[in-house]
Amino acid sequence: MPYVVDFKDVSTVGLESSPVAEALAGLRANEARYFRNKYDHTFTVSPANDAPEVIDRVSRILKEERDIAIGSRPLEATAFEVDGLRMDYVFYESGLSINVMYSIEDGGKRAVGFKLAEGMEVPEELASRFKFARQKSKLAGVIRGSFFVIKGEY
């Protein structure tokens, strides 16, 4: 069942099995606030079992672009379009959030972003490949993030 993420009253609904559930919930709420403020979009997530096409698309892009396979179990996912961008999000049990921003028009911005919830270690599959910058968030504490530009067509 889809869940509308509330960034005013942060909840761990759907993320309870994560060892960093509260920080991951804050990270998810931070994304919800961003999309509400920038695009007036309501950020809604579904359990991973209800969104296999989103998880498959994100996994395929990671594999084909950088030969990356995420070891953690996906908990939630969402896909939506705003302002000419297709956005895919997957939230993993480890505290990792991956988003794919894909411009619908040729020549637009296309990238994969990684965000790590406070308290989690950098996943082994990403540690040697990316440097993570820190960002403070009222909702999520310290978020570490990195990204890469997508070169292929998906």
Side-chain angles (χ1 to χ4, degrees):
M1 185 166 142
Y3 171 73
V4 175
V5 179
D6 185 346
F7 55 87
K8 293 180 180 160
D9 184 22
V10 179
S11 170
T12 59
V13 168
L15 307 174
E16 298 90 350
S17 67
S18 172
V20 293
E22 287 186 26
L24 185 56
L27 177 58
R28 181 179 66 182
N30 188 63
E31 299 300 307
R33 181 179 59 195
Y34 172 80
F35 282 100
R36 167 62 73 203
N37 291 341
K38 182 157 177 110
Y39 301 107
D40 196 30
H41 172 78
T42 301
F43 198 84
T44 304
V45 294
S46 296
N49 293 343
D50 294 347
E53 68 287 346
V54 177
I55 294 162
D56 291 347
R57 188 169 43 244
V58 170
S59 296
R60 177 178 163 228
I61 290 169
L62 291 172
K63 182 70 175 162
E64 291 181 13
E65 290 284 326
R66 296 290 179 103
D67 197 28
I68 296 171
I70 302 300
S72 183
R73 181 170 72 99
L75 296 178
E76 293 182 331
T78 187
F80 54 91
E81 287 184 17
V82 291
D83 200 30
L85 299 171
R86 186 183 75 214
M87 300 296 303
D88 293 337
Y89 272 84
V90 180
F91 295 92
Y92 294 88
E93 192 169 44
S94 64
L96 173 66
S97 167
I98 298 178
N99 70 75
V100 174
M101 175 185 71
Y102 197 86
S103 175
I104 296 166
E105 280 190 34
D106 287 341
K109 295 179 182 179
R110 295 177 176 171
V112 173
F114 303 101
K115 291 186 180 173
L116 310 177
E118 189 167 32
M120 75 169 286
E121 295 295 323
V122 176
E124 184 179 314
E125 56 270 32
L126 305 178
S128 65
R129 300 171 183 233
F130 299 97
K131 294 198 182 298
F132 287 84
R134 295 180 186 277
Q135 164 191 348
K136 286 193 177 188
S137 162
K138 287 181 182 178
L139 292 170
V142 176
I143 300 170
R144 290 166 293 157
S146 193
F147 75 98
F148 69 85
V149 174
I150 296 172
K151 293 184 179 12
E153 297 283 325
Y154 299 94

